[in-house]
Amino acid sequence: MESEKSATVTYSPAAVLNLFNNSLSVNETKRIVQLKGIYIQGKGMQYSGYFYDIFRDESTDAAITILVPPLIRNELQPNKTVTVNGFITRRIINSSGSIQIQLTVTDLVGQTQNKYTEDDVRKIQLMQAKAATGYRDVYSWLKEKIITEEPFKIGIVIGKTGIIDNDIKHQLRESIGFYDLSFHRVNLSSEEEILTILDRLSNENYGLVAVSRGGGENLDIFNRFTIAEKAVSLQSLFVTAIGHKDDVTLLQRVADKSFITPSELGQFLNDVYNETVAELENSKARLIESVKLQLTAGYQKQIDNLNEKLKANEELRLKTAKDLELVYKEKMELLNGQLAGEQKLQAERVGILNDQINSYKKQIAQIEGKASVNWTIVVIAVIVGLIIGYLLKGH
């Protein structure tokens, strides 16, 4: 038993496909069923007595292959809603590793006009594709351009004889000086002219392209699939300003933004500009206030630091002055002491000299009292006097 469980079974791709094909069991494959859809003819080649055509949903892009006998096929009309009876079969496609569900038609029940035409289906698919890629935010895009002051061009397509350019300009008011706006006149009843101008504006790198028309009827041109498809493929942002409130055309549905009237488009551009400028002013005011507070705090800190330095310098100065005064006082005391010593020494010397002078005077007096003068002693006395005078003068 264990060896049987652990044994590895090797299949080929075809074997796997047949294994799953045989294992599929649906009650509807065992009886006749009724199928309704839009009939689309295939290539017109017959295989094994059948034509391989297609049934597609009326409201989606889901489809199934049907095998139609020649007699029934002759009665079927392409692109009409058809109801048939048949039985479900499966077909293995080895090249893609898939199992295809098919219906073999046995009889025609009925056929009616389609609920949706082929053009309607294409329009629905186009709107689905636009929804999948996303509607671009025109307001945010304009706002960013205004804030960054990045230049951009707006091209507005209008009728050859239209006067709506004045309506748009009037609503722009003071913001008209900011926008690089240009109007391009074409025949709005001509599909070819509209496609041409859209191509040209896109190639000339217009940031925003608008199609604008005043009120009135005859809006069929804006329901053309080719024009809407061209608008979806534009690199430029695309808006419409078609003056009709009740009838929303295909072109309006696929536009990034649509306006009911041309004046509303002008008002929108003016509002975006004014709101963005106001926000910028408020942001600048807040920024200036923030910078002011930061600078004030920075300056106050610098002032506090300088005050602390001045206080420290003043303390150092006072301490230095006190130290200098103490040193000066000590030096003065030392000098006064030295001077007193010198004066005392000088007084002692003077006293000694005075004693010597008095002694010499006595000796001279004694000599003078003698009858005969000893000139040698006189000369010596004079010399001694000169020496004493010199010494006194030097000190």
Side-chain angles (χ1 to χ4, degrees):
M1 292 294 293
E2 292 181 359
S3 61
E4 290 179 1
K5 289 182 179 179
S6 59
T8 301
V9 180
T10 304
Y11 294 96
S12 68
V16 172
L17 288 171
N18 280 284
L19 179 65
F20 278 89
N21 185 46
N22 294 331
S23 66
L24 293 173
S25 178
V26 182
N27 290 332
E28 277 70 16
T29 61
K30 300 175 183 178
R31 58 187 177 85
I32 297 296
V33 297
Q34 194 168 89
L35 186 68
K36 181 181 180 182
I38 299 174
Y39 173 67
I40 301 174
Q41 283 190 344
K43 296 181 179 179
M45 297 181 67
Q46 187 175 351
Y47 299 94
S48 303
Y50 291 96
F51 289 92
Y52 284 72
D53 296 326
I54 296 174
F55 257 21
R56 190 181 65 202
D57 276 3
E58 292 183 272
S59 56
T60 71
D61 56 357
I64 187 174
T65 299
I66 58 173
L67 280 65
V68 187
L71 291 177
I72 297 178
R73 193 174 193 263
N74 291 334
E75 299 181 30
L76 296 177
Q77 297 182 26
N79 299 320
K80 282 197 173 185
T81 299
V82 177
T83 303
V84 296
N85 290 333
F87 55 90
I88 297 173
T89 59
R90 298 189 297 267
R91 175 190 172 201
I92 296 176
I93 304 176
N94 291 321
S95 59
S96 62
S98 60
I99 300 173
Q100 186 182 60
I101 307 301
Q102 301 175 335
L103 180 83
T104 301
V105 177
T106 57
D107 62 286
L108 174 64
V109 177
Q111 56 183 330
T112 59
Q113 186 65 36
N114 294 341
K115 184 177 180 181
Y116 298 103
T117 65
E118 183 69 20
D119 193 43
D120 290 336
V121 174
R122 291 174 67 197
K123 291 176 181 179
I124 293 171
Q125 292 174 343
L126 181 62
M127 286 188 288
Q128 290 174 339
K130 177 63 179 179
T133 57
Y135 291 83
R136 291 170 289 185
D137 190 345
V138 179
Y139 180 88
S140 297
W141 184 85
L142 287 170
K143 189 173 181 179
E144 180 182 356
K145 298 296 182 183
I146 295 169
I147 292 173
T148 59
E149 297 183 354
E150 181 181 346
F152 64 96
K153 297 186 294 183
I154 298 178
I156 302 180
V157 179
I158 63 175
K160 284 187 175 180
T161 59
I163 58 172
I164 60 171
D165 52 331
N166 293 326
D167 297 335
I168 295 174
K169 291 176 182 178
H170 176 72
Q171 292 299 324
L172 282 171
R173 298 183 182 89
E174 66 275 6
S175 65
I176 194 170
F178 171 79
Y179 290 110
D180 183 3
L181 207 67
S182 59
F183 294 89
H184 305 269
R185 297 184 178 277
V186 299
N187 181 1
L188 289 180
S189 299
S190 170
E191 179 179 337
E192 182 180 354
E193 286 193 31
I194 295 174
L195 292 174
T196 300
I197 191 60
L198 291 179
D199 265 333
R200 183 167 71 82
L201 295 178
S202 179
N203 293 334
E204 292 177 1
N205 298 320
Y206 275 77
L208 178 67
V209 174
V211 172
S212 183
R213 198 200 79 167
E217 304 300 327
N218 301 322
L219 299 178
D220 291 341
I221 188 68
F222 302 120
N223 281 313
R224 301 281 179 88
F225 176 82
T226 51
I227 297 177
E229 185 180 38
K230 175 63 66 177
V232 170
S233 67
L234 293 176
Q235 293 296 322
S236 312
L237 275 73
F238 179 74
V239 302
T240 59
I242 299 173
H244 202 285
K245 183 178 180 180
D246 299 324
D247 190 3
V248 180
T249 64
L250 176 64
L251 190 62
Q252 291 170 282
R253 295 180 187 276
V254 299
D256 293 308
K257 190 171 182 62
S258 61
F259 302 94
I260 297 176
T261 63
S263 296
E264 190 181 40
L265 169 60
Q267 183 65 49
F268 170 77
L269 294 174
N270 184 62
D271 290 345
V272 173
Y273 175 78
N274 288 333
E275 290 170 9
T276 305
V277 170
E279 289 178 10
L280 282 174
E281 292 297 330
N282 292 334
S283 298
K284 287 179 180 178
R286 288 195 298 269
L287 178 61
I288 291 171
E289 185 63 25
S290 176
V291 171
K292 182 180 178 181
L293 291 174
Q294 292 177 7
L295 290 175
T296 302
Y299 288 148
Q300 186 61 45
K301 187 175 181 180
Q302 292 180 11
I303 291 170
D304 293 342
N305 291 337
L306 288 174
N307 286 332
E308 289 178 2
K309 288 182 179 181
L310 288 173
K311 183 178 179 181
N313 290 337
E314 181 64 18
E315 291 176 354
L316 179 61
R317 185 187 69 78
L318 293 174
K319 183 179 179 182
T320 303
K322 188 175 181 181
D323 291 342
L324 289 174
E325 184 179 357
L326 182 61
V327 170
Y328 174 78
K329 185 176 181 181
E330 290 176 352
K331 287 187 176 182
M332 287 300 294
E333 289 177 353
L334 179 60
L335 290 174
N336 288 333
Q338 292 177 351
L339 180 60
E342 289 290 336
Q343 288 176 347
K344 183 178 179 181
L345 181 60
Q346 186 67 26
E348 291 176 355
R349 289 177 179 174
V350 170
I352 294 171
L353 289 174
N354 286 333
D355 291 342
Q356 291 178 351
I357 291 172
N358 291 331
S359 176
Y360 292 149
K361 286 181 177 181
K362 289 178 181 181
Q363 291 177 5
I364 292 170
Q366 290 175 0
I367 292 171
E368 289 177 348
K370 294 181 180 180
S372 59
V373 179
N374 191 343
W375 294 103
T376 302
I377 294 172
V378 174
V379 172
I380 292 171
V382 172
I383 293 171
V384 171
L386 292 172
I387 292 172
I388 293 171
Y390 175 76
L391 290 174
L392 291 173
K393 185 179 180 181
H395 289 281

